[in-house]
Amino acid sequence: MKDKDSFINKLRSSNLRLTDQRIQICKALFDRNTTFHFTIKELHKCLLDKFTNKVALATVYNTVQALKDKGYLKEISISSDKTYFDTNVSNHHHFFDLNKKELIDLKDSDVCKVKIKKNLPGKKIQSIEVLVKVANSN
């Protein structure tokens, strides 16, 4: 179990007021042994199932956005209307299973070096992250 103080520090550094609901959100996100991929609605449902204190969807949304803006979460857009968040903020790649609607980490060693042949004037590439969409083969 992660230290409650680390949750409090994340919330404070994200300029969020400390509440029991926000601490529950941090516990659901960061008190894990593995990476957690989620949508806002999935996280909200997880919180409703796991904790007795109810958490408003707006609180979940605002907390996730503040944590993302501070760099504690990564946002991954699957399509124009589907966004996932990732607790692993390092540069890494993903599979997205279209059938299960599941995001799965890919190690850098699973992807050969990607070469970008085009440059944008005045821009520098900060990272390259590959999203591979997969579906059942039958």
Side-chain angles (χ1 to χ4, degrees), residues 1 7 12 21 24 26 56 66 70 76 95 97 129 132 135:
M1 182 163 136
F7 304 151
R12 283 189 177 146
Q21 289 82 6
Q24 287 177 5
C26 281
K70 192 62 179 175
I76 300 151
F95 277 124
D97 187 320
E129 297 178 25
V132 181

Side-chain angles (χ1 to χ4, degrees), residues 74-135:
K74 180 187 286 193
E75 184 174 12
I76 300 151
S77 294
I78 302 299
S79 65
S80 62
D81 63 339
K82 191 69 164 180
T83 299
Y84 281 78
F85 294 87
D86 191 346
T87 57
N88 178 356
V89 294
S90 69
N91 293 332
H92 63 286
H93 314 292
H94 291 95
F95 277 124
F96 181 69
D97 187 320
L98 293 164
N99 302 104
K100 293 181 179 180
K101 306 294 187 219
E102 180 181 25
L103 202 59
I104 304 158
D105 282 346
L106 263 168
K107 296 177 191 166
D108 279 339
S109 60
D110 294 330
V111 178
C112 292
K113 184 176 178 179
V114 177
K115 185 175 181 179
I116 307 296
K117 295 182 179 183
K118 180 177 174 137
N119 291 321
L120 295 176
K123 302 290 182 180
K124 180 181 174 187
I125 295 173
Q126 291 185 319
S127 70
I128 298 172
E129 297 178 25
V130 175
L131 175 66
V132 181
K133 296 180 181 180
V134 297

Side-chain angles (χ1 to χ4, degrees), residues 29 36-49 55-58 60-61 64-65 81-85:
L29 292 175
F36 181 41
H37 301 108
F38 63 93
T39 65
I40 299 287
K41 287 182 181 178
E42 289 169 349
L43 177 59
H44 185 243
K45 183 182 179 325
C46 171
L47 291 165
L48 293 176
D49 291 346
V55 180
L57 183 60
V60 175
Y61 177 83
V64 166
Q65 290 300 319
D81 63 339
K82 191 69 164 180
T83 299
Y84 281 78
F85 294 87

